């Protein structure tokens, strides 16, 4: 069996990246102007020390009285005090400019990642996505908060110094400019050389992260099948490839700074030669020559800083293009609330929830609304994963509004795949899955009345560290305490929540109050009530509760699905008893479809499953391990 290489997420073009930056910088022009003004003043003050030193040198050469030193000393002292003030102001203003922008970039990346279709994430490997929203976002943040200010400050110091050299004598400025062609050629070479290195290096980092994550998540399987050596070799190869780009980047940077040192040497020699000629001819005095030499020496750090920040800018640019590349796959609307933050209330395995940012009054979610919905239709659906063989073959079914469908079958029969297609998490390879004539994969975030139309709840639940109330408000931010209490009571969680140290305000999750698997599942079902969807898809959503909690969870599931269109991937055949229709799957095909009572008496596949389940006491799964 061969596995195809990951199809990494796209990288944004330069035009797309610039457009995204313009959007996040919109409205920050005045703050940017204030930052530049503070930096200009700070850069001009940096010239005070060389000017004062030149005056002191000339005073000594002229054998003046000690009182001649008072002026230069006061100049340095006042400039130092003013520079401290302007430096502080520039740092504060820059932070106010940069930090909200970088925070918005990170939020955009996470929001776009959450909105990506499951197939897209799975095709590229989760490591590529993690590398983008973590490593790439960190590089952009670091560069924006550090390199941006350093670059602007260095550029202004260089400009002020060149003006100062010209003010002393235009020939000093001309001599200093002899270093510019070498520096420009060096920068051009470095940009041309390093750009592909950093772009490919970030991609290699994504592959390395994907290899590590896949190895760690599959660790039990790798140990059981003794595949550790081959997987380790795969990780080592990915790491070696990533390190190769890091070594290439280091070599390029070393050559870059070496060439800048040559330019500095040439420029300084030229300044000193011009100073010698001008002083000998009486055109300039020793003080001016000293000031000119110190001006040019003072350029070493800002020139290296400005050109060196291109290193960080190159890495950040590559990272930003990868982050924006994620956003290009998301919907045009970023889903922001009125406060500018992405609104994502996600039930496990589901899509973003209804944050109710529109100010409508909150509804108490005690029981489902039971309002009429639309026809859920599956037509000629075939599906495959990443170019592999079909795992679903020609599925056709109609589920009228308010009807319940139970899907059963052995492990690997395609139940969960069908559930994700119905929920719209991925589009079918061929065929159509529609709700009221609209493809479920294209449904908007919420129905016109504000409700989430389809919600998928899987058995893979997650408890975020925070209060229990915060965990529930992931579904709907505006949910009132009464709505939360009603939802908890409806799923049978009110008693154990009341017994917590601080009730619904108890901090739960890792390092805090731990909840059982059954309790976490009840919270997941309570979120569905807060979302109030039209269609609920339960993919073995109560499978991990254990036999003691089975009845409680089944009752909660019935409450959640009451009055709604429901698709239940059943792991206990008792869950089929309340279904209007039972769908039996085998190897990606529908082998039986109809009323549960009729199927039990027909002597077919479902009858065999029921008999096997009943003979096991009717309390667990069938002998196949799952249904």
């Amino acid at each position: 069996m061969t596995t195809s290489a990951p199809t990494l997420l796209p990288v944004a073009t330069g035009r797309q990246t610039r457009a995204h930056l313009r959007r996040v910088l919109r409205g920050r022009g005045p703050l940017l102007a204030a930052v530049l003004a503070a930096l200009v003043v700070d850069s001009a003050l940096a010239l005070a020390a060389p000017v004062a030193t030149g005056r002191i040198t000339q005073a000594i050469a002229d054998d003046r009285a000690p009182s001649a030193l008072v002026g230069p000393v006061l100049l340095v002292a006042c400039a130092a005090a003013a520079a401290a003030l302007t430096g502080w102001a520039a740092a504060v203003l820059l932070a106010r400019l940069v930090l909200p922008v970088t925070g918005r970039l990170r939020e955009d990346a996470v929001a776009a990642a959450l909105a990506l279709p499951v197939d897209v994430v799975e095709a590229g490997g989760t490591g590529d996505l993690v590398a983008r929203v973590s490593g790439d976002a960190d590089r952009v943040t670091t560069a924006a908060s550090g390199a941006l200010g350093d670059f602007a400050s260095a550029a202004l110091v260089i400009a002020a110094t060149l003006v100062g050299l010209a003010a002393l004598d235009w020939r000093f400025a001309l001599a200093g400019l002899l270093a510019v062609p070498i520096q420009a050629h060096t920068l051009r070479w470095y940009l041309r050389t390093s750009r592909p290195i950093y772009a490919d290096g970030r991609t290699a980092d994504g592959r390395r992260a994907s290899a590590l994550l896949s190895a760690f998540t599959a660790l039990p399987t790798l140990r059981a099948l003794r595949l550790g050596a081959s997987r380790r070799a795969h990780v080592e190869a990915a790491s070696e490839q990533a390190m190769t780009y890091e070594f290439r980047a280091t070599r390029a940077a070393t050559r870059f700074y070496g060439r800048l040192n040559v330019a500095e040497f040439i420029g300084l020699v030229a300044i000193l030669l011009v100073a010698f000629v001008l002083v000998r001819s009486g055109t300039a005095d020793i003080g001016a020559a000293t000031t000119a030499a110190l001006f040019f020496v003072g350029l070493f750090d800002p020139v290296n800083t400005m050109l060196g920040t291109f290193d960080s800018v190159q890495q950040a640019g590559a990272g930003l293009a990868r982050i924006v590349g994620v956003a290009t796959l998301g919907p045009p609307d970023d889903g922001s609330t009125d406060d500018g933050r992405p609104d994502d209330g996600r039930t496990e395995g589901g899509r973003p929830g209804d944050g109710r940012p529109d100010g409508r009054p909150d509804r108490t979610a005690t029981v489902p609304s039971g309002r009429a919905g639309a026809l859920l239709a599956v037509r000629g659906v075939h599906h495959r994963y990443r170019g592999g063989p079909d795992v679903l073959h020609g599925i056709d079914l109609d589920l009228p509004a308010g009807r319940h469908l139970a899907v059963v079958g052995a492990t690997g029969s395609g139940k969960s795949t069908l559930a994700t297609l119905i929920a719209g998490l991925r589009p079918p390879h061929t065929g159509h899955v529609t709700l009221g004539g609209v493809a479920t994969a294209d449904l908007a975030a919420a129905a016109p009345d504000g409700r989430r139309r389809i919600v998928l709840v899987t058995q893979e639940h997650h408890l975020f560290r925070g209060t229990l109330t915060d965990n529930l408000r992931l579904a709907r931010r505006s949910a009132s305490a009464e709505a939360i209490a009603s939802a908890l009571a409806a799923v049978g969680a009110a008693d154990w929540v009341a017994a917590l140290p601080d009730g619904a305000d108890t901090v739960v999750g890792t390092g805090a109050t731990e909840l059982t698997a059954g309790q976490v599942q009840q919270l997941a079902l309570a979120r569905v009530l807060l979302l109030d969807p039209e269609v609920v898809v339960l993919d073995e959503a109560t499978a991990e509760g254990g036999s003691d909690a089975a009845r409680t969870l089944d009752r909660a599931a019935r409450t959640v699905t009451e009055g709604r269109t429901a698709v239940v991937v059943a792991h206990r055949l008792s869950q089929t008893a309340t279904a209007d229709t039972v769908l039996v799957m085998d190897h990606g095909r529908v082998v039986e479809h109809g009323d549960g009572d009729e199927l039990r008496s027909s002597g077919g596949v479902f009858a065999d499953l029921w008999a096997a389940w009943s003979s096991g006491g009717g309390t667990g799964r069938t002998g196949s391990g799952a249904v």
Side-chain angles (χ1 to χ4, degrees), residues 391-417:
V391 295
L392 293 181
H393 307 270
I395 307 297
D396 288 285
L397 66 93
D398 285 333
L399 190 61
R403 305 283 287 180
H404 291 186
L405 172 71
V407 183
V408 301
T411 300
S413 60
K415 305 186 301 297
S416 293
T417 299

Side-chain angles (χ1 to χ4, degrees), residues 173-200:
L174 185 62
L177 289 175
L178 289 178
V180 172
I182 301 175
Q183 293 166 336
H185 175 74
T186 299
L187 178 61
R188 183 172 177 271
W189 168 84
Y190 181 68
L191 292 177
R192 187 174 62 249
T193 302
S194 63
R195 182 179 293 113
I197 293 177
Y198 285 124
D200 294 341

